[in-house]
Amino acid sequence: PVLPMRDFTLRLPDVGLEWRPRRAAGYVRSLRRDRLRMVVRAPSRGAYRVTVAGRPVTARRRGAEVVFRMAVRPGRVARWSLDPAG
């Protein structure tokens, strides 16, 4: 979301988002096994390290967005995060 505030947190049973000036993180609980294509607007300029379930994953920057893939399983929470690289 594009919001007028610098910090934002949303926690629902099946999806959540935490937004900070230099970090974004969230989770998804899926109904089926799948591989999601995530497109997340980076909180600020610069390089980001993306992790899914605590492990680094390959991501690419597309303008202001960071694009990565994330495996999900039925009923399980899949967590992701964008942290500044370096």
Side-chain angles (χ1 to χ4, degrees):
V2 177
L3 302 169
M5 60 207 79
R6 292 175 52 94
D7 294 73
F8 175 79
T9 301
L10 172 70
R11 290 188 182 100
L12 300 171
D14 296 323
V15 66
L17 177 65
E18 177 184 321
W19 194 267
R20 302 287 177 252
R22 293 275 301 142
R23 180 176 198 275
Y27 62 87
V28 175
R29 184 185 318 265
S30 179
L31 296 175
R32 65 184 181 135
R33 180 181 291 261
D34 207 343
R35 190 160 169 81
L36 303 179
R37 179 176 175 264
M38 304 292 289
V39 180
V40 179
R41 179 177 288 274
S44 61
R45 295 177 187 232
Y48 279 86
R49 179 182 68 247
V50 179
T51 58
V52 171
R55 295 186 171 172
V57 298
T58 302
R60 65 183 170 88
R61 189 76 185 244
R62 189 178 70 191
E65 300 170 333
V66 178
V67 181
F68 61 97
R69 297 228 177 242
M70 181 171 80
V72 293
R73 295 174 60 186
R76 291 228 169 128
V77 172
R79 297 184 186 282
W80 60 269
S81 68
L82 271 66
D83 294 289

